[in-house]
Amino acid sequence: RAKADGKSSLRFFDAEMDQHIRERDQLERELKTAVARGDIRPFFQPLVDLRTKEIVGFEALARWSHPVLGAVPPDRFIPVAEDTGLIQELSESLLAESCRAALDWPTSVTLSFNISPVQLKEPTLGLRILAILARTGLPPSRLEIEITESALVRDLESARSVLTSLREAGVRLALDDFGTGYSSLYHLRNFKLDKIKIDRSFVSSMAHEHESAEIVSALVGLGHGLGLTITAEGVEGSEQEADLLARGCQQGQGYLFSQAVSAEEAVSLLRPGQDRASAAGQ
Ligand code: C2E
Ligand code: MG
Ligand code: MG
Ligand code: MG
């Protein structure tokens, strides 16, 4: 159809591109106000110990509730925030709100927070994060920073000094989306990491792709040897959960357990006696 109808599908594509560009322009114009007004807030997705089924942490995930567009996902506005230089201000307000939310959780429950590669280019980032911890009263040992491998590739020196200062203060480090980027064992040797998060593409293909399943097993083995926690992202089904458990994976995160929820709902997921069934599938 695309061939026979080349011109009109091209026109359709143009229109879609146009729409996309217009929407991005709109987000760019409105982002500053949204940040100032606090329209972008953290939601929290549980990290679960696969053996005990207990919630051991929450990952803060940014959500923009836009008056016209509705819920704008982070993949659409984080890049805009990076390009416009708003990422620092946005990230700091999200972190402060997340830390305050974490103070309502048991002290054994950690907060995971995403930092984008662009932010790691700023050498004072470590100090800024530590200042927010001090101001909100969340102990550094309860914070885990999630970075992707591209962050370590882009500006190695700045990343190294930021991550070292955080680590020395007791903040933990996780490598996010492992297996999708410049996966290099070099990073495991040269950065003191606490955790590897296996990208959800491996988890979703484990059942029908021998390679993915073997990669998961190998990473679990590597994790054991290096003293790292292995977390599987995107756990959606109980078969996946069972398979991960059988392969020795300690932690999981995914819609099987819960989507990201508001701070209030996060606290209610932690309430003793509340079983997992009521948290899943929202
Ligand atoms: P991420 O850090 O890898 O976060 C995991 C993403 O997978 C989240 O998407 C989450 O909602 C989604 N997810 C969780 N469980 C499942 C599942 O079972 N199935 C599927 N299909 N997806 C699942 P989300 O919230 O749209 O975030 C996308 C990305 O945006 C994040 O990927 C992270 O890189 C970035 N991000 C989110 N919040 C922030 C933030 O505050 N700052 C920065 N710099 N980046 C953020
Ligand atoms: Mg993450
Ligand atoms: Mg991830
Ligand atoms: Mg991601």
Side-chain angles (χ1 to χ4, degrees), residues 59-61 112-115 145-148 174-177 197 233 253:
E59 178 175 3
L61 293 164
S112 300
F113 193 82
N114 294 286
I115 291 292
I145 291 295
E146 295 193 1
I147 51 167
T148 54
L175 204 49
D176 206 351
D177 302 346
K197 298 186 81 174
E233 301 192 275
Q253 184 179 356

Side-chain angles (χ1 to χ4, degrees), residues 24-59:
R24 192 180 153 113
D25 282 350
Q26 186 189 354
L27 292 184
E28 198 167 315
R29 280 194 310 274
E30 295 181 4
L31 190 62
K32 205 178 162 78
T33 333
V35 171
R37 278 208 311 232
D39 287 348
I40 303 176
R41 303 190 56 194
F43 276 58
F44 302 92
Q45 186 182 35
L47 277 76
V48 173
D49 181 318
L50 292 174
R51 272 163 296 197
T52 63
K53 313 285 182 228
E54 259 177 331
I55 293 176
V56 292
F58 285 98
E59 178 175 3

Side-chain angles (χ1 to χ4, degrees), residues 45 59-63 73-75 78 87 94 113-116 119 146 176-177 200 233-236 253-256:
Q45 186 182 35
E59 178 175 3
L61 293 164
R63 299 284 180 262
D75 288 333
I78 294 286
I87 187 70
L94 286 168
F113 193 82
N114 294 286
I115 291 292
S116 72
Q119 293 178 271
E146 295 193 1
D176 206 351
D177 302 346
R200 70 163 178 264
E233 301 192 275
V235 185
E236 294 183 351
Q253 184 179 356
Y255 297 162
L256 175 66

Side-chain angles (χ1 to χ4, degrees), residues 38-277:
D39 287 348
I40 303 176
R41 303 190 56 194
F43 276 58
F44 302 92
Q45 186 182 35
L47 277 76
V48 173
D49 181 318
L50 292 174
R51 272 163 296 197
T52 63
K53 313 285 182 228
E54 259 177 331
I55 293 176
V56 292
F58 285 98
E59 178 175 3
L61 293 164
R63 299 284 180 262
W64 181 356
S65 59
H66 188 281
V68 179
L69 299 173
V72 182
D75 288 333
R76 296 253 300 287
F77 65 81
I78 294 286
V80 180
E82 289 174 345
D83 291 350
T84 53
L86 281 166
I87 187 70
Q88 194 90 278
E89 188 185 341
L90 172 60
S91 185
E92 289 189 11
S93 88
L94 286 168
L95 179 60
E97 188 173 346
S98 300
C99 289
R100 285 190 289 268
L103 292 172
D104 288 339
W105 311 335
T107 51
S108 62
V109 176
T110 54
L111 167 69
S112 300
F113 193 82
N114 294 286
I115 291 292
S116 72
V118 171
Q119 293 178 271
L120 274 168
K121 284 196 228 158
E122 173 55 58
T124 61
L125 177 71
L127 296 175
R128 287 162 180 268
I129 290 174
L130 295 177
I132 292 168
L133 288 171
R135 203 172 72 226
T136 57
L138 190 75
S141 60
R142 291 190 58 196
L143 179 66
E144 181 169 80
I145 291 295
E146 295 193 1
I147 51 167
T148 54
E149 290 162 295
S150 53
L152 303 179
V153 174
R154 273 203 215 167
D155 193 340
L156 199 60
E157 273 328 298
S158 173
R160 191 184 295 283
S161 77
V162 168
L163 297 177
T164 303
S165 68
L166 288 173
R167 222 174 177 278
E168 280 169 357
V171 174
R172 282 185 262 177
L173 300 180
L175 204 49
D176 206 351
D177 302 346
F178 192 80
T180 56
Y182 308 80
S183 291
S184 164
L185 300 177
Y186 173 84
H187 300 140
L188 303 184
R189 218 177 80 211
N190 280 273
F191 285 92
K192 297 240 175 320
L193 299 164
D194 301 277
K195 177 184 283 185
I196 290 174
K197 298 186 81 174
I198 305 177
D199 189 70
R200 70 163 178 264
S201 58
F202 293 96
V203 177
S204 64
S205 57
M206 263 175 86
H208 55 268
E209 239 182 66
H210 168 70
E211 289 82 356
S212 293
E214 285 304 319
I215 288 168
V216 170
S217 287
L219 285 175
V220 168
L222 194 63
H224 281 153
L226 297 178
L228 301 167
T229 302
I230 304 292
T231 302
E233 301 192 275
V235 185
E236 294 183 351
S238 40
E239 323 74 46
Q240 289 170 350
E241 182 193 27
D243 197 1
L244 288 163
L245 198 54
R247 289 173 194 277
C249 185
Q250 299 109 308
Q251 280 184 14
Q253 184 179 356
Y255 297 162
L256 175 66
F257 309 110
S258 172
Q259 291 189 1
V261 297
S262 70
E264 298 73 37
E265 289 169 283
V267 168
S268 78
L269 291 181
L270 285 165
R271 211 176 290 140
Q274 176 138 7
D275 71 351
R276 205 186 75 198

